[in-house]
Amino acid sequence: MITEPTQRAAGFQEASMKFGFIGAGVVAQTIARHILPFGHEVLISNSRGPATLAMVVRNLGRGASAGTPQQAAEQDVVVLSVEWHMSRTLSHQSRTGPAVP
């Protein structure tokens, strides 16, 4: 279970990461909701375009934004959160780093 951020030790600076989500369903939104309180940024994408994600971004709050799948693939950490049959339609060119199974 992930808990709310606690007070950090003096002199310790935590690095903020940028998470890109390809897919904007329940799984992506749940993970995003859990990492945003820790100061990370999330970029949510879907196949219909960023404009269709305005309400999702608004509900997630500060640190959340919408973008294209290509923009999501360019973040520090990329989470593929689509139905399995849709994963075959993703371009291999959109991968920018190693995949972790």
Side-chain angles (χ1 to χ4, degrees):
M1 178 176 186
I2 299 175
T3 60
E4 289 296 316
T6 58
Q7 185 176 2
R8 307 291 181 218
F12 178 76
Q13 185 174 6
E14 187 174 292
S16 175
M17 296 181 71
K18 296 179 180 181
F19 288 76
F21 290 87
I22 299 174
V26 173
V27 171
Q29 291 178 48
T30 300
I31 295 170
R33 194 171 296 111
H34 283 287
I35 61 178
L36 282 166
F38 292 90
H40 301 297
E41 297 175 32
V42 300
L43 187 143
I44 303 280
S45 70
N46 65 15
S47 61
R48 294 179 305 278
T52 64
L53 297 168
M55 185 172 290
V56 171
V57 169
R58 186 172 30 257
N59 288 339
L60 288 173
R62 197 177 103 212
S65 62
T68 66
Q70 181 61 41
Q71 290 170 316
E74 295 168 350
Q75 303 308 303
D76 298 328
V77 177
V78 179
V79 178
L80 178 60
S81 179
V82 297
E83 294 179 17
W84 183 250
H85 72 277
M86 294 298 294
S87 67
R88 295 184 192 125
T89 64
L90 295 173
S91 167
H92 292 284
Q93 296 172 351
S94 66
R95 290 194 210 153
T96 58
V100 178

